[in-house]
């Protein structure tokens, strides 16, 4: 699909449509949608901003490329004066006191926020069922899950309710729902976009990223949000990616894939066959394809969840109803803390906090947590070796197609294993893009650290190849 951002920009400039009319149409579609994607509409803010864009155009002033473009925000980002609930009971009445850096950059560029989007509570889930607002329904088949944790964001883009949305990816939470709903979703290199104002799940792998219907829209939004931020010491300065550079793919000579991913017993036969067919198509284009050795899926999932649960136990320890949150009073302070957290956190969030506290506790930390850190180092070293041999790594996004709503809640382990093909790239801090081609849940394109441009280049090459 061609760039929606560029198309709408031209329509606004040519006065084929007013920004107010555009925003009203999107808000109405969001109100009427039956996919449970909306936590809160930002209608007053959106219409006020739209009126300002219309006034500029009426005065003959030029507008920026993102100015007047409606977008959605996963409900884990701070936007001053709006509810930021993380789809949880604990924060259902919490209003942000400030705005996340990535969102502020989009506001500064003139983009118009429409909606806070439904997601798994605190990002804890792979299906967007773990939410107080009801399970997000898949854009293609509403009987299936929307994917998680950025399910509402992916479905809104797929249905056209937003032009693009900002999700959050810790272990696959942008890429997997993008694959489930047939859109593009990017997890950039860790640190390329500031995490300030994003509710922390696992700080060492949390990434801000865009979901859109075209590579060009991903590029535009990525450029707008990227850059160093003094409020996030893990962020770094990066060069903008030009549109012209994406058409030059001659520097991609070798593509690798992990043979144990496709040889796994967990992968659906159809996804395996389609992935191997895509590999064959790439090879037929004269690109060398190399099978790579990598860690087993179970090792990747275990390592990721060991570290992620430890970090979420630490990050969520601040939420006890004292400074913010839905406080439940009890007989004494200690009991108040216990009841507040017990009643307000979901079963999945409590499972991750308990698991995290256990792996950090005396007697377990050396055996489990430190081993997880060591394995992460090995995974990163493995990637460095791989990218000495290949330019790009391609993989399935998921080993199977989206489950029916309700199935994931019955089997948390199966939910964790659905992340088997995404978590490794998160542990490696690598730029990874889901494209809606190749298999029923898309393909995943990964490059070495800080090489986000190469990911978009290869995606652009595959757009007309597969």
């Amino acid at each position: 699909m061609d760039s929606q951002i560029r198309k709408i920009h031209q329509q606004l400039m040519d006065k084929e449509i007013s920004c107010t009319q555009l925003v009203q149409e999107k808000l109405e579609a969001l109100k009427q949608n039956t996919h449970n994607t909306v936590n809160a509409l930002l209608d007053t803010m959106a219409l006020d901003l739209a009126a300002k864009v219309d006034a500029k155009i009426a005065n003959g002033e030029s507008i920026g490329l993102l100015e007047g473009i409606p977008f959605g925000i996963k409900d884990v980002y701070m936007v001053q004066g709006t509810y930021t609930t993380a789809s949880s009971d604990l924060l259902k009445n919490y209003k942000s006191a400030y705005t996340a850096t990535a969102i502020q950059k989009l506001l500064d560029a003139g983009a118009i926020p429409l909606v806070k989007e439904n997601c798994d509570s605190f990002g804890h889930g792979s299906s967007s069922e773990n939410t107080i607002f009801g399970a997000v329904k898949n854009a293609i088949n509403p009987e299936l899950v929307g994917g998680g944790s950025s399910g509402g964001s992916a479905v809104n883009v797929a249905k056209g309710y937003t032009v693009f949305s900002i999700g959050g990816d810790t272990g696959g939470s942008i890429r997997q729902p993008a694959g489930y709903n047939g859109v593009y979703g990017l997890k950039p290199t860790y640190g390329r976009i500031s995490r300030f104002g994003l509710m922390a799940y696992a700080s060492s792998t949390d990434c801000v990223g865009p979901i859109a219907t075209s590579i060009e829209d991903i590029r535009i939004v990525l450029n707008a949000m990227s850059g160093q931020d003094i409020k996030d010491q893990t962020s770094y300065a990066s060069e903008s990616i030009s549109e012209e550079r994406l058409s030059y793919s001659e520097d991609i000579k070798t593509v690798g894939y992990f043979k144990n991913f496709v040889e796994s017993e967990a992968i659906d036969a159809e996804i395996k066959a389609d992935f191997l067919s895509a590999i064959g198509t790439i090879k037929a284009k004269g690109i060398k394809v190399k099978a790579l050795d990598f860690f087993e899926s179970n090792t990747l999932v275990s390592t990721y969840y060991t570290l992620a649960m430890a970090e979420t136990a630490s990050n969520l320890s601040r939420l006890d109803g004292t400074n913010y949150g839905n406080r439940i009073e009890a007989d004494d302070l200690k009991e108040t803390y216990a009841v507040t957290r017990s009643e307000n956190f979901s079963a999945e969030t409590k499972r991750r906090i308990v698991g995290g506290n256990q792996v950090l506790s005396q007697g377990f930390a050396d055996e489990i947590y430190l081993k997880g850190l060591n394995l992460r180092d090995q995974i990163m070293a493995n990637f460095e070796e791989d990218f000495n041999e290949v330019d790009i790594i391609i993989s399935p996004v998921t080993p199977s197609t989206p489950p029916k709503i309700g199935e994931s809640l019955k089997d948390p382990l199966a939910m964790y294993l659905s992340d088997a093909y995404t978590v490794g790239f998160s542990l490696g801090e690598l730029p990874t893009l889901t494209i809606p081609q190749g298999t029923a849940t898309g393909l995943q394109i990964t490059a070495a650290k800080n090489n986000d441009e190469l990911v978009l280049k290869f995606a652009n090459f595959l757009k007309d190849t597969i």
Side-chain angles (χ1 to χ4, degrees), residues 46-299:
L47 289 168
D48 286 347
L49 292 172
K52 292 177 182 177
V53 174
D54 285 334
K56 284 184 71 172
I57 294 171
N59 290 334
E61 298 177 46
S62 61
I63 60 171
L65 189 55
L66 279 170
E67 206 160 348
I69 304 298
F71 74 103
I73 305 168
K74 183 179 180 179
D75 198 9
V76 290
Y77 288 95
M78 304 297 168
V79 180
Q80 188 173 19
T82 72
Y83 287 105
T84 303
T85 73
S87 297
S88 70
D89 273 320
L90 188 68
L91 297 177
K92 62 186 176 184
N93 297 314
Y94 175 70
K95 278 193 174 182
S96 307
Y98 61 96
T99 299
T101 296
I103 305 303
Q104 188 60 56
K105 286 190 171 189
L106 293 170
L107 296 177
D108 292 344
I112 297 179
L114 296 181
V115 57
K116 287 293 194 71
E117 296 166 320
N118 199 359
C119 56
D120 284 301
S121 182
F122 295 105
H124 299 160
S126 303
S127 64
S128 291
E129 295 173 280
N130 177 35
T131 163
I132 63 171
F133 296 101
V136 174
K137 298 177 182 178
N138 189 284
I140 301 164
N141 180 351
E143 293 184 0
L144 307 180
V145 302
S149 59
S150 308
S153 302
V155 172
N156 278 341
V157 170
K159 298 296 290 184
Y161 303 144
T162 59
V163 178
F164 66 90
S165 285
I166 305 306
D169 193 306
T170 305
S173 294
I174 286 174
R175 290 162 286 154
Q176 183 248 46
Y180 278 2
N181 293 282
V183 291
Y184 292 90
L186 175 69
K187 183 199 85 65
T189 300
Y190 179 78
R192 185 183 180 97
I193 301 174
S194 170
R195 292 178 293 112
F196 179 76
L198 164 64
M199 277 190 205
Y201 163 19
S203 306
S204 69
T205 55
D206 287 344
C207 287
V208 179
I211 299 171
T213 56
S214 72
I215 300 162
E216 174 63 359
D217 288 351
I218 292 285
R219 184 194 69 83
I220 293 167
V221 178
L222 175 65
N223 281 343
M225 294 192 295
S226 296
Q228 194 164 18
D229 179 14
I230 59 171
K231 298 172 183 175
D232 176 5
Q233 293 184 350
T234 64
S235 65
Y236 64 91
S238 58
E239 291 184 7
S240 289
I241 300 170
S242 70
E243 181 183 7
E244 294 74 25
R245 290 282 299 162
L246 296 193
S247 60
Y248 181 82
S249 60
E250 284 78 2
D251 48 354
I252 300 170
K253 307 290 187 185
T254 308
V255 171
Y257 71 96
F258 296 131
K259 58 187 177 184
N260 60 302
F261 277 15
V262 293
E263 291 170 358
S264 168
E265 293 180 1
I267 192 170
D268 283 1
E270 186 177 349
I271 288 181
K272 178 179 179 177
D274 289 344
F275 177 75
L276 291 174
S277 175
I279 289 291
T281 301
I282 292 168
K283 195 181 296 186
K285 288 290 182 179
I287 294 175
K288 184 179 178 182
V289 175
K290 184 169 185 175
L292 302 169
D293 292 316
F294 199 49
F295 293 79
E296 291 298 323
S297 299
N298 288 348
T299 301

Side-chain angles (χ1 to χ4, degrees), residues 384-461:
E384 285 188 21
E385 292 176 9
D386 288 338
F387 286 114
N388 286 329
E389 299 181 36
V390 302
D391 302 308
I392 287 286
I393 293 173
I394 191 169
S395 59
V397 179
T398 61
S400 56
T401 52
K404 287 187 176 180
I405 290 173
E407 288 181 2
S408 295
L409 298 179
K410 298 174 188 175
D411 190 352
L413 180 58
M415 179 182 68
Y416 299 158
L417 291 174
S418 72
D419 297 333
Y421 295 167
T422 55
V423 294
F425 304 119
S426 295
L427 293 168
E429 303 181 352
L430 305 176
T432 307
L433 173 72
T434 287
I435 64 170
Q437 294 168 269
T439 80
T441 56
L443 294 172
Q444 208 172 188
I445 300 169
T446 305
K449 271 188 193 180
N450 308 324
N451 215 344
D452 304 60
E453 180 181 285
L454 198 64
V455 167
L456 298 184
K457 277 185 182 181
F458 194 62
N460 198 49
F461 168 76

Side-chain angles (χ1 to χ4, degrees), residues 338-400:
V339 173
T340 295
R341 288 167 66 82
S342 179
E343 294 297 320
N344 283 309
F345 281 139
S346 69
E348 182 58 36
T349 294
K350 286 186 281 191
R351 184 180 295 117
R352 297 188 186 205
I353 291 172
V354 170
N357 283 327
Q358 182 167 357
V359 302
L360 290 172
S361 63
Q362 188 174 2
F364 288 95
D366 289 352
E367 183 63 28
I368 301 176
Y369 180 66
L370 294 183
K371 185 177 180 181
L373 290 175
N374 180 262
L375 276 167
R376 177 178 183 151
D377 289 342
Q378 292 179 45
I379 290 166
M380 295 178 85
N382 198 119
F383 279 127
E384 285 188 21
E385 292 176 9
D386 288 338
F387 286 114
N388 286 329
E389 299 181 36
V390 302
D391 302 308
I392 287 286
I393 293 173
I394 191 169
S395 59
V397 179
T398 61
S400 56

